Amino acid sequence: VIKELDSRTDDIQSIKALGFCVSIQHAQFMATRFNQAGIKASAVWGDTPDAERKEALRQLADGRIRILFSVDLFNEGVDVPSVDTLLLLRPTESATLFLQQLGRGLRKSKHKSVCTVLDFVGMHRREFRFDLRLSALLGGTRKHLKDQVKQSFPYLPAGCHMELDHVATDIILESLKSALPSRWNDKVSELRRMIEAGIEPTIVNYLRESGLGLEDVYTSNKSWSDYLAAASLDLHVAGPHELVLRRAVGRLLHIDDEERLNFYIRSLDYSVKPQLESLSIKERRMLRMLVAATCDKVLERDDSLAHGVSVLWEHPQIIAEMKELFLLQRKEIDHIHTDLSSHKDSPLQIHGRYSRIEILAAFGVGEYAKTRPWREGVLWIEDEKVDMLAFTLDKSEGNFSPTTMYRDYAISRELIHWESQSSTRSTSPTGNRYCNHVANGSRIMLFARENADERAFWFLGPATYVSHESEKPMGITWKLGEPLPGDLFSIFAAAVA
């Protein structure tokens, strides 16, 4: 510990550190060894008199000791802003405890520019859930976590750095691969064990009992109905396109806006098909978003929405599964959404997530159930007077050519830097429309996703032209009507960190 601390801090004799230990004996041992190494240290624990504890904190704050080791203390409620180093020397799988310990070093203080965190005991047993700890810090799917670990965490927010030694990297990658049931047969066996224990076979119960996430359940073109069938449970009669639609349910995992989820939950009754004439324009568009996303591969180009609804409602098991999924997703909404006031008939919610198909359906593009193809990053919708700009922040996945590696990122919570297509000049019709959209009465809508593996884009809402530089491509600064939430800003700003 002393060796690593010395190698990863500028001056071990100038740090102000807290060390979290597993026992009183451990804390005393660590303090003794540090003192023997010439690094002033002390130890406190639950039975230490209150006055002695406070004095130890004062000594740490004013530099008379350099490190204070503790046992089940200082996880919360202690504010020593000058602490700039944390030693995690005890195991925990509690996200709350982990964040409390981390928080002891994240207070702002004069002359303090960084907080160094050294974790020595992440691998205290084989089944440790590295995926939970890393996803709490980094977000994203398990594949995205694996890529971050392999590439030494290249997309952290500005000012943050994470480093693993080679052994730790190998251990974590192996853990991400094997800590949870990953093979189809193992996942089904987990469901059978749950049923044998008398637990109702619902998605919610399965996720809780197995430790898997929704993405794990719906990976490899599987759906929840496939799990139920493999466990020999009774299902509704299969529809004519059952297999295709089961696979399509996995494309709905991003839905996170309450208005749409409520509408779907009310409407998804396999015995009563929605009547389009009784729905508002916004509700018909929400229904089209669902039909187009799930039935895209089984509908013809000129099939009506009414026909698309009939096709979907021919699959009662799909209807039942979607309703169960949407009930779960409604409980897990984690952003505040805002209506798109400029387009009252559009069901899009600012800071909600949408696929390209859903975006087109929400703006009423086309008159049939299916939407037109949209693969490029920009799309002008003449009828709505809207430029839709959809961009990917992390372009390192190999899906971009040198001519499409545009620099798109958040400058602040209100300002977005975006680069146009490589052929766009400011004097071209498109460039002129971008620069003068306010005067011309058109609007700019921004959609962003973190990487190309994500199907859905965050809707950042309407934006206003501020300025631009250069041409072919134009580097435009847009001002958002609604500031980015803090978590999205940290992701979008990290694109250039």
PDB file of all heavy atoms in Angstrom, residues 167-201:
ATOM      1  N   VAL A 167      -2.963  -7.102 -14.044  1.00  0.00           N
ATOM      2  CA  VAL A 167      -3.620  -8.233 -13.379  1.00  0.00           C
ATOM      3  C   VAL A 167      -5.068  -7.883 -13.067  1.00  0.00           C
ATOM      4  O   VAL A 167      -5.984  -8.673 -13.311  1.00  0.00           O
ATOM      5  CB  VAL A 167      -2.861  -8.619 -12.092  1.00  0.00           C
ATOM      6  CG1 VAL A 167      -3.633  -9.682 -11.319  1.00  0.00           C
ATOM      7  CG2 VAL A 167      -1.468  -9.126 -12.434  1.00  0.00           C
ATOM      8  N   ALA A 168      -5.294  -6.679 -12.537  1.00  0.00           N
ATOM      9  CA  ALA A 168      -6.655  -6.255 -12.212  1.00  0.00           C
ATOM     10  C   ALA A 168      -7.517  -6.185 -13.471  1.00  0.00           C
ATOM     11  O   ALA A 168      -8.689  -6.575 -13.459  1.00  0.00           O
ATOM     12  CB  ALA A 168      -6.631  -4.901 -11.512  1.00  0.00           C
ATOM     13  N   THR A 169      -6.947  -5.693 -14.561  1.00  0.00           N
ATOM     14  CA  THR A 169      -7.693  -5.620 -15.819  1.00  0.00           C
ATOM     15  C   THR A 169      -8.167  -7.007 -16.250  1.00  0.00           C
ATOM     16  O   THR A 169      -9.342  -7.197 -16.601  1.00  0.00           O
ATOM     17  CB  THR A 169      -6.816  -5.015 -16.934  1.00  0.00           C
ATOM     18  OG1 THR A 169      -6.461  -3.677 -16.579  1.00  0.00           O
ATOM     19  CG2 THR A 169      -7.556  -5.006 -18.267  1.00  0.00           C
ATOM     20  N   ASP A 170      -7.276  -7.983 -16.210  1.00  0.00           N
ATOM     21  CA  ASP A 170      -7.638  -9.346 -16.609  1.00  0.00           C
ATOM     22  C   ASP A 170      -8.710  -9.926 -15.690  1.00  0.00           C
ATOM     23  O   ASP A 170      -9.656 -10.578 -16.138  1.00  0.00           O
ATOM     24  CB  ASP A 170      -6.402 -10.251 -16.597  1.00  0.00           C
ATOM     25  CG  ASP A 170      -5.405  -9.882 -17.688  1.00  0.00           C
ATOM     26  OD1 ASP A 170      -5.809  -9.200 -18.653  1.00  0.00           O
ATOM     27  OD2 ASP A 170      -4.228 -10.272 -17.573  1.00  0.00           O
ATOM     28  N   ILE A 171      -8.574  -9.669 -14.377  1.00  0.00           N
ATOM     29  CA  ILE A 171      -9.543 -10.195 -13.415  1.00  0.00           C
ATOM     30  C   ILE A 171     -10.928  -9.594 -13.664  1.00  0.00           C
ATOM     31  O   ILE A 171     -11.941 -10.292 -13.654  1.00  0.00           O
ATOM     32  CB  ILE A 171      -9.079  -9.898 -11.978  1.00  0.00           C
ATOM     33  CG1 ILE A 171      -7.859 -10.759 -11.624  1.00  0.00           C
ATOM     34  CG2 ILE A 171     -10.209 -10.150 -10.980  1.00  0.00           C
ATOM     35  CD1 ILE A 171      -7.226 -10.413 -10.298  1.00  0.00           C
ATOM     36  N   ILE A 172     -10.968  -8.289 -13.897  1.00  0.00           N
ATOM     37  CA  ILE A 172     -12.255  -7.617 -14.085  1.00  0.00           C
ATOM     38  C   ILE A 172     -12.913  -8.057 -15.385  1.00  0.00           C
ATOM     39  O   ILE A 172     -14.125  -8.302 -15.434  1.00  0.00           O
ATOM     40  CB  ILE A 172     -12.067  -6.091 -14.036  1.00  0.00           C
ATOM     41  CG1 ILE A 172     -11.719  -5.671 -12.608  1.00  0.00           C
ATOM     42  CG2 ILE A 172     -13.314  -5.364 -14.515  1.00  0.00           C
ATOM     43  CD1 ILE A 172     -11.410  -4.197 -12.451  1.00  0.00           C
ATOM     44  N   LEU A 173     -12.136  -8.174 -16.463  1.00  0.00           N
ATOM     45  CA  LEU A 173     -12.706  -8.627 -17.724  1.00  0.00           C
ATOM     46  C   LEU A 173     -13.270 -10.041 -17.591  1.00  0.00           C
ATOM     47  O   LEU A 173     -14.350 -10.344 -18.113  1.00  0.00           O
ATOM     48  CB  LEU A 173     -11.650  -8.580 -18.831  1.00  0.00           C
ATOM     49  CG  LEU A 173     -11.252  -7.175 -19.314  1.00  0.00           C
ATOM     50  CD1 LEU A 173     -10.089  -7.261 -20.288  1.00  0.00           C
ATOM     51  CD2 LEU A 173     -12.438  -6.479 -19.972  1.00  0.00           C
ATOM     52  N   GLU A 174     -12.557 -10.907 -16.890  1.00  0.00           N
ATOM     53  CA  GLU A 174     -13.054 -12.260 -16.667  1.00  0.00           C
ATOM     54  C   GLU A 174     -14.317 -12.229 -15.818  1.00  0.00           C
ATOM     55  O   GLU A 174     -15.273 -12.976 -16.055  1.00  0.00           O
ATOM     56  CB  GLU A 174     -11.973 -13.103 -15.992  1.00  0.00           C
ATOM     57  CG  GLU A 174     -12.391 -14.544 -15.691  1.00  0.00           C
ATOM     58  CD  GLU A 174     -12.756 -15.325 -16.946  1.00  0.00           C
ATOM     59  OE1 GLU A 174     -12.204 -15.025 -18.019  1.00  0.00           O
ATOM     60  OE2 GLU A 174     -13.612 -16.230 -16.843  1.00  0.00           O
ATOM     61  N   SER A 175     -14.348 -11.347 -14.819  1.00  0.00           N
ATOM     62  CA  SER A 175     -15.527 -11.217 -13.959  1.00  0.00           C
ATOM     63  C   SER A 175     -16.733 -10.733 -14.750  1.00  0.00           C
ATOM     64  O   SER A 175     -17.848 -11.239 -14.587  1.00  0.00           O
ATOM     65  CB  SER A 175     -15.244 -10.245 -12.809  1.00  0.00           C
ATOM     66  OG  SER A 175     -16.420  -9.954 -12.083  1.00  0.00           O
ATOM     67  N   LEU A 176     -16.528  -9.741 -15.613  1.00  0.00           N
ATOM     68  CA  LEU A 176     -17.635  -9.221 -16.419  1.00  0.00           C
ATOM     69  C   LEU A 176     -18.199 -10.309 -17.333  1.00  0.00           C
ATOM     70  O   LEU A 176     -19.387 -10.300 -17.662  1.00  0.00           O
ATOM     71  CB  LEU A 176     -17.161  -8.034 -17.263  1.00  0.00           C
ATOM     72  CG  LEU A 176     -16.809  -6.756 -16.497  1.00  0.00           C
ATOM     73  CD1 LEU A 176     -16.243  -5.707 -17.444  1.00  0.00           C
ATOM     74  CD2 LEU A 176     -18.023  -6.202 -15.766  1.00  0.00           C
ATOM     75  N   LYS A 177     -17.352 -11.245 -17.712  1.00  0.00           N
ATOM     76  CA  LYS A 177     -17.780 -12.305 -18.617  1.00  0.00           C
ATOM     77  C   LYS A 177     -18.472 -13.447 -17.882  1.00  0.00           C
ATOM     78  O   LYS A 177     -19.407 -14.056 -18.400  1.00  0.00           O
ATOM     79  CB  LYS A 177     -16.569 -12.833 -19.390  1.00  0.00           C
ATOM     80  CG  LYS A 177     -16.894 -13.917 -20.411  1.00  0.00           C
ATOM     81  CD  LYS A 177     -15.709 -14.229 -21.295  1.00  0.00           C
ATOM     82  CE  LYS A 177     -14.564 -14.825 -20.505  1.00  0.00           C
ATOM     83  NZ  LYS A 177     -13.435 -15.210 -21.370  1.00  0.00           N
ATOM     84  N   SER A 178     -18.046 -13.728 -16.628  1.00  0.00           N
ATOM     85  CA  SER A 178     -18.484 -14.970 -15.991  1.00  0.00           C
ATOM     86  C   SER A 178     -19.219 -14.804 -14.667  1.00  0.00           C
ATOM     87  O   SER A 178     -19.735 -15.784 -14.136  1.00  0.00           O
ATOM     88  CB  SER A 178     -17.266 -15.869 -15.751  1.00  0.00           C
ATOM     89  OG  SER A 178     -16.356 -15.233 -14.860  1.00  0.00           O
ATOM     90  N   ALA A 179     -19.297 -13.607 -14.117  1.00  0.00           N
ATOM     91  CA  ALA A 179     -19.896 -13.447 -12.788  1.00  0.00           C
ATOM     92  C   ALA A 179     -21.379 -13.787 -12.782  1.00  0.00           C
ATOM     93  O   ALA A 179     -21.933 -14.213 -11.783  1.00  0.00           O
ATOM     94  CB  ALA A 179     -19.687 -12.027 -12.281  1.00  0.00           C
ATOM     95  N   LEU A 180     -22.055 -13.595 -13.905  1.00  0.00           N
ATOM     96  CA  LEU A 180     -23.487 -13.846 -13.996  1.00  0.00           C
ATOM     97  C   LEU A 180     -23.752 -14.904 -15.054  1.00  0.00           C
ATOM     98  O   LEU A 180     -22.933 -15.123 -15.943  1.00  0.00           O
ATOM     99  CB  LEU A 180     -24.218 -12.553 -14.373  1.00  0.00           C
ATOM    100  CG  LEU A 180     -24.207 -11.456 -13.316  1.00  0.00           C
ATOM    101  CD1 LEU A 180     -24.815 -10.194 -13.885  1.00  0.00           C
ATOM    102  CD2 LEU A 180     -24.955 -11.895 -12.086  1.00  0.00           C
ATOM    103  N   PRO A 181     -24.932 -15.549 -14.975  1.00  0.00           N
ATOM    104  CA  PRO A 181     -25.258 -16.503 -16.038  1.00  0.00           C
ATOM    105  C   PRO A 181     -25.304 -15.799 -17.391  1.00  0.00           C
ATOM    106  O   PRO A 181     -26.065 -14.853 -17.581  1.00  0.00           O
ATOM    107  CB  PRO A 181     -26.640 -17.029 -15.628  1.00  0.00           C
ATOM    108  CG  PRO A 181     -27.189 -16.021 -14.673  1.00  0.00           C
ATOM    109  CD  PRO A 181     -26.000 -15.447 -13.973  1.00  0.00           C
ATOM    110  N   SER A 182     -24.488 -16.238 -18.315  1.00  0.00           N
ATOM    111  CA  SER A 182     -24.433 -15.586 -19.620  1.00  0.00           C
ATOM    112  C   SER A 182     -24.902 -16.502 -20.740  1.00  0.00           C
ATOM    113  O   SER A 182     -25.345 -16.031 -21.777  1.00  0.00           O
ATOM    114  CB  SER A 182     -23.003 -15.106 -19.913  1.00  0.00           C
ATOM    115  OG  SER A 182     -22.100 -16.192 -19.849  1.00  0.00           O
ATOM    116  N   ARG A 183     -24.843 -17.801 -20.527  1.00  0.00           N
ATOM    117  CA  ARG A 183     -25.307 -18.740 -21.541  1.00  0.00           C
ATOM    118  C   ARG A 183     -26.819 -18.901 -21.431  1.00  0.00           C
ATOM    119  O   ARG A 183     -27.395 -18.826 -20.347  1.00  0.00           O
ATOM    120  CB  ARG A 183     -24.607 -20.088 -21.399  1.00  0.00           C
ATOM    121  CG  ARG A 183     -23.098 -20.036 -21.628  1.00  0.00           C
ATOM    122  CD  ARG A 183     -22.511 -21.437 -21.595  1.00  0.00           C
ATOM    123  NE  ARG A 183     -22.853 -22.123 -20.348  1.00  0.00           N
ATOM    124  CZ  ARG A 183     -22.628 -23.413 -20.120  1.00  0.00           C
ATOM    125  NH1 ARG A 183     -22.073 -24.159 -21.057  1.00  0.00           N
ATOM    126  NH2 ARG A 183     -22.959 -23.956 -18.959  1.00  0.00           N
ATOM    127  N   TRP A 184     -27.449 -19.161 -22.553  1.00  0.00           N
ATOM    128  CA  TRP A 184     -28.905 -19.280 -22.603  1.00  0.00           C
ATOM    129  C   TRP A 184     -29.404 -20.354 -21.633  1.00  0.00           C
ATOM    130  O   TRP A 184     -30.343 -20.121 -20.851  1.00  0.00           O
ATOM    131  CB  TRP A 184     -29.334 -19.588 -24.039  1.00  0.00           C
ATOM    132  CG  TRP A 184     -30.764 -20.005 -24.193  1.00  0.00           C
ATOM    133  CD1 TRP A 184     -31.230 -21.210 -24.609  1.00  0.00           C
ATOM    134  CD2 TRP A 184     -31.924 -19.204 -23.939  1.00  0.00           C
ATOM    135  NE1 TRP A 184     -32.598 -21.223 -24.628  1.00  0.00           N
ATOM    136  CE2 TRP A 184     -33.055 -20.005 -24.231  1.00  0.00           C
ATOM    137  CE3 TRP A 184     -32.105 -17.903 -23.493  1.00  0.00           C
ATOM    138  CZ2 TRP A 184     -34.353 -19.531 -24.082  1.00  0.00           C
ATOM    139  CZ3 TRP A 184     -33.404 -17.424 -23.350  1.00  0.00           C
ATOM    140  CH2 TRP A 184     -34.509 -18.234 -23.639  1.00  0.00           C
ATOM    141  N   ASN A 185     -28.792 -21.534 -21.631  1.00  0.00           N
ATOM    142  CA  ASN A 185     -29.253 -22.622 -20.758  1.00  0.00           C
ATOM    143  C   ASN A 185     -29.143 -22.243 -19.285  1.00  0.00           C
ATOM    144  O   ASN A 185     -30.009 -22.598 -18.475  1.00  0.00           O
ATOM    145  CB  ASN A 185     -28.466 -23.901 -21.037  1.00  0.00           C
ATOM    146  CG  ASN A 185     -28.810 -24.512 -22.385  1.00  0.00           C
ATOM    147  OD1 ASN A 185     -29.875 -24.232 -22.942  1.00  0.00           O
ATOM    148  ND2 ASN A 185     -27.918 -25.337 -22.919  1.00  0.00           N
ATOM    149  N   ASP A 186     -28.086 -21.514 -18.930  1.00  0.00           N
ATOM    150  CA  ASP A 186     -27.920 -21.100 -17.541  1.00  0.00           C
ATOM    151  C   ASP A 186     -28.996 -20.098 -17.130  1.00  0.00           C
ATOM    152  O   ASP A 186     -29.498 -20.131 -16.003  1.00  0.00           O
ATOM    153  CB  ASP A 186     -26.533 -20.477 -17.335  1.00  0.00           C
ATOM    154  CG  ASP A 186     -25.407 -21.490 -17.517  1.00  0.00           C
ATOM    155  OD1 ASP A 186     -25.686 -22.696 -17.356  1.00  0.00           O
ATOM    156  OD2 ASP A 186     -24.282 -21.075 -17.829  1.00  0.00           O
ATOM    157  N   LYS A 187     -29.342 -19.194 -18.042  1.00  0.00           N
ATOM    158  CA  LYS A 187     -30.375 -18.211 -17.733  1.00  0.00           C
ATOM    159  C   LYS A 187     -31.742 -18.881 -17.531  1.00  0.00           C
ATOM    160  O   LYS A 187     -32.501 -18.520 -16.634  1.00  0.00           O
ATOM    161  CB  LYS A 187     -30.455 -17.164 -18.849  1.00  0.00           C
ATOM    162  CG  LYS A 187     -29.231 -16.278 -18.961  1.00  0.00           C
ATOM    163  CD  LYS A 187     -29.382 -15.295 -20.117  1.00  0.00           C
ATOM    164  CE  LYS A 187     -28.161 -14.425 -20.280  1.00  0.00           C
ATOM    165  NZ  LYS A 187     -28.294 -13.487 -21.406  1.00  0.00           N
ATOM    166  N   VAL A 188     -32.038 -19.860 -18.381  1.00  0.00           N
ATOM    167  CA  VAL A 188     -33.305 -20.582 -18.250  1.00  0.00           C
ATOM    168  C   VAL A 188     -33.323 -21.393 -16.962  1.00  0.00           C
ATOM    169  O   VAL A 188     -34.348 -21.458 -16.263  1.00  0.00           O
ATOM    170  CB  VAL A 188     -33.536 -21.482 -19.480  1.00  0.00           C
ATOM    171  CG1 VAL A 188     -34.780 -22.353 -19.277  1.00  0.00           C
ATOM    172  CG2 VAL A 188     -33.683 -20.636 -20.739  1.00  0.00           C
ATOM    173  N   SER A 189     -32.182 -21.991 -16.623  1.00  0.00           N
ATOM    174  CA  SER A 189     -32.096 -22.753 -15.368  1.00  0.00           C
ATOM    175  C   SER A 189     -32.352 -21.845 -14.176  1.00  0.00           C
ATOM    176  O   SER A 189     -32.995 -22.261 -13.192  1.00  0.00           O
ATOM    177  CB  SER A 189     -30.714 -23.410 -15.245  1.00  0.00           C
ATOM    178  OG  SER A 189     -30.511 -24.367 -16.266  1.00  0.00           O
ATOM    179  N   GLU A 190     -31.884 -20.611 -14.248  1.00  0.00           N
ATOM    180  CA  GLU A 190     -32.134 -19.642 -13.183  1.00  0.00           C
ATOM    181  C   GLU A 190     -33.636 -19.388 -13.039  1.00  0.00           C
ATOM    182  O   GLU A 190     -34.164 -19.290 -11.922  1.00  0.00           O
ATOM    183  CB  GLU A 190     -31.406 -18.339 -13.518  1.00  0.00           C
ATOM    184  CG  GLU A 190     -31.288 -17.366 -12.367  1.00  0.00           C
ATOM    185  CD  GLU A 190     -30.180 -17.712 -11.394  1.00  0.00           C
ATOM    186  OE1 GLU A 190     -29.262 -18.461 -11.780  1.00  0.00           O
ATOM    187  OE2 GLU A 190     -30.251 -17.239 -10.248  1.00  0.00           O
ATOM    188  N   LEU A 191     -34.334 -19.290 -14.156  1.00  0.00           N
ATOM    189  CA  LEU A 191     -35.789 -19.092 -14.114  1.00  0.00           C
ATOM    190  C   LEU A 191     -36.484 -20.314 -13.520  1.00  0.00           C
ATOM    191  O   LEU A 191     -37.400 -20.180 -12.697  1.00  0.00           O
ATOM    192  CB  LEU A 191     -36.307 -18.810 -15.524  1.00  0.00           C
ATOM    193  CG  LEU A 191     -37.835 -18.675 -15.675  1.00  0.00           C
ATOM    194  CD1 LEU A 191     -38.369 -17.557 -14.782  1.00  0.00           C
ATOM    195  CD2 LEU A 191     -38.209 -18.437 -17.128  1.00  0.00           C
ATOM    196  N   ARG A 192     -36.057 -21.507 -13.909  1.00  0.00           N
ATOM    197  CA  ARG A 192     -36.677 -22.731 -13.368  1.00  0.00           C
ATOM    198  C   ARG A 192     -36.480 -22.825 -11.864  1.00  0.00           C
ATOM    199  O   ARG A 192     -37.408 -23.204 -11.126  1.00  0.00           O
ATOM    200  CB  ARG A 192     -36.078 -23.967 -14.059  1.00  0.00           C
ATOM    201  CG  ARG A 192     -36.473 -24.109 -15.527  1.00  0.00           C
ATOM    202  CD  ARG A 192     -36.201 -25.526 -16.009  1.00  0.00           C
ATOM    203  NE  ARG A 192     -36.558 -25.697 -17.417  1.00  0.00           N
ATOM    204  CZ  ARG A 192     -35.690 -25.735 -18.412  1.00  0.00           C
ATOM    205  NH1 ARG A 192     -34.371 -25.601 -18.158  1.00  0.00           N
ATOM    206  NH2 ARG A 192     -36.089 -25.901 -19.654  1.00  0.00           N
ATOM    207  N   ARG A 193     -35.284 -22.475 -11.388  1.00  0.00           N
ATOM    208  CA  ARG A 193     -35.030 -22.515  -9.938  1.00  0.00           C
ATOM    209  C   ARG A 193     -35.946 -21.525  -9.215  1.00  0.00           C
ATOM    210  O   ARG A 193     -36.432 -21.799  -8.117  1.00  0.00           O
ATOM    211  CB  ARG A 193     -33.561 -22.182  -9.661  1.00  0.00           C
ATOM    212  CG  ARG A 193     -32.605 -23.334  -9.908  1.00  0.00           C
ATOM    213  CD  ARG A 193     -31.221 -23.061  -9.323  1.00  0.00           C
ATOM    214  NE  ARG A 193     -30.537 -22.014 -10.041  1.00  0.00           N
ATOM    215  CZ  ARG A 193     -29.752 -22.229 -11.099  1.00  0.00           C
ATOM    216  NH1 ARG A 193     -29.595 -23.450 -11.562  1.00  0.00           N
ATOM    217  NH2 ARG A 193     -29.146 -21.224 -11.707  1.00  0.00           N
ATOM    218  N   MET A 194     -36.185 -20.380  -9.826  1.00  0.00           N
ATOM    219  CA  MET A 194     -37.055 -19.370  -9.228  1.00  0.00           C
ATOM    220  C   MET A 194     -38.484 -19.902  -9.117  1.00  0.00           C
ATOM    221  O   MET A 194     -39.159 -19.734  -8.087  1.00  0.00           O
ATOM    222  CB  MET A 194     -37.018 -18.112 -10.095  1.00  0.00           C
ATOM    223  CG  MET A 194     -37.666 -16.906  -9.498  1.00  0.00           C
ATOM    224  SD  MET A 194     -37.513 -15.470 -10.608  1.00  0.00           S
ATOM    225  CE  MET A 194     -39.036 -15.665 -11.554  1.00  0.00           C
ATOM    226  N   ILE A 195     -38.937 -20.565 -10.179  1.00  0.00           N
ATOM    227  CA  ILE A 195     -40.296 -21.121 -10.177  1.00  0.00           C
ATOM    228  C   ILE A 195     -40.421 -22.216  -9.132  1.00  0.00           C
ATOM    229  O   ILE A 195     -41.417 -22.295  -8.395  1.00  0.00           O
ATOM    230  CB  ILE A 195     -40.642 -21.649 -11.585  1.00  0.00           C
ATOM    231  CG1 ILE A 195     -40.665 -20.498 -12.594  1.00  0.00           C
ATOM    232  CG2 ILE A 195     -41.987 -22.371 -11.573  1.00  0.00           C
ATOM    233  CD1 ILE A 195     -40.731 -20.948 -14.040  1.00  0.00           C
ATOM    234  N   GLU A 196     -39.400 -23.074  -9.033  1.00  0.00           N
ATOM    235  CA  GLU A 196     -39.412 -24.153  -8.044  1.00  0.00           C
ATOM    236  C   GLU A 196     -39.449 -23.619  -6.618  1.00  0.00           C
ATOM    237  O   GLU A 196     -39.973 -24.276  -5.710  1.00  0.00           O
ATOM    238  CB  GLU A 196     -38.188 -25.051  -8.235  1.00  0.00           C
ATOM    239  CG  GLU A 196     -38.224 -25.872  -9.518  1.00  0.00           C
ATOM    240  CD  GLU A 196     -36.897 -26.540  -9.823  1.00  0.00           C
ATOM    241  OE1 GLU A 196     -35.939 -26.346  -9.033  1.00  0.00           O
ATOM    242  OE2 GLU A 196     -36.803 -27.241 -10.862  1.00  0.00           O
ATOM    243  N   ALA A 197     -38.915 -22.416  -6.436  1.00  0.00           N
ATOM    244  CA  ALA A 197     -38.928 -21.795  -5.107  1.00  0.00           C
ATOM    245  C   ALA A 197     -40.251 -21.089  -4.811  1.00  0.00           C
ATOM    246  O   ALA A 197     -40.400 -20.465  -3.754  1.00  0.00           O
ATOM    247  CB  ALA A 197     -37.781 -20.800  -4.996  1.00  0.00           C
ATOM    248  N   GLY A 198     -41.192 -21.184  -5.744  1.00  0.00           N
ATOM    249  CA  GLY A 198     -42.498 -20.589  -5.521  1.00  0.00           C
ATOM    250  C   GLY A 198     -42.583 -19.109  -5.834  1.00  0.00           C
ATOM    251  O   GLY A 198     -43.527 -18.432  -5.398  1.00  0.00           O
ATOM    252  N   ILE A 199     -41.620 -18.588  -6.589  1.00  0.00           N
ATOM    253  CA  ILE A 199     -41.606 -17.161  -6.930  1.00  0.00           C
ATOM    254  C   ILE A 199     -42.281 -16.969  -8.280  1.00  0.00           C
ATOM    255  O   ILE A 199     -41.987 -17.675  -9.249  1.00  0.00           O
ATOM    256  CB  ILE A 199     -40.162 -16.631  -6.981  1.00  0.00           C
ATOM    257  CG1 ILE A 199     -39.483 -16.817  -5.623  1.00  0.00           C
ATOM    258  CG2 ILE A 199     -40.136 -15.160  -7.379  1.00  0.00           C
ATOM    259  CD1 ILE A 199     -38.001 -16.492  -5.627  1.00  0.00           C
ATOM    260  N   GLU A 200     -43.200 -16.015  -8.365  1.00  0.00           N
ATOM    261  CA  GLU A 200     -43.939 -15.774  -9.596  1.00  0.00           C
ATOM    262  C   GLU A 200     -42.985 -15.406 -10.733  1.00  0.00           C
ATOM    263  O   GLU A 200     -42.121 -14.538 -10.570  1.00  0.00           O
ATOM    264  CB  GLU A 200     -44.954 -14.652  -9.382  1.00  0.00           C
ATOM    265  CG  GLU A 200     -45.850 -14.408 -10.588  1.00  0.00           C
ATOM    266  CD  GLU A 200     -46.826 -13.270 -10.373  1.00  0.00           C
ATOM    267  OE1 GLU A 200     -46.754 -12.622  -9.289  1.00  0.00           O
ATOM    268  OE2 GLU A 200     -47.642 -13.012 -11.264  1.00  0.00           O
ATOM    269  N   PRO A 201     -43.136 -16.038 -11.900  1.00  0.00           N
ATOM    270  CA  PRO A 201     -42.208 -15.787 -13.012  1.00  0.00           C
ATOM    271  C   PRO A 201     -42.524 -14.497 -13.765  1.00  0.00           C
ATOM    272  O   PRO A 201     -43.069 -14.498 -14.871  1.00  0.00           O
ATOM    273  CB  PRO A 201     -42.406 -17.010 -13.909  1.00  0.00           C
ATOM    274  CG  PRO A 201     -43.822 -17.433 -13.663  1.00  0.00           C
ATOM    275  CD  PRO A 201     -44.076 -17.136 -12.205  1.00  0.00           C
TER     276      PRO A 201
END
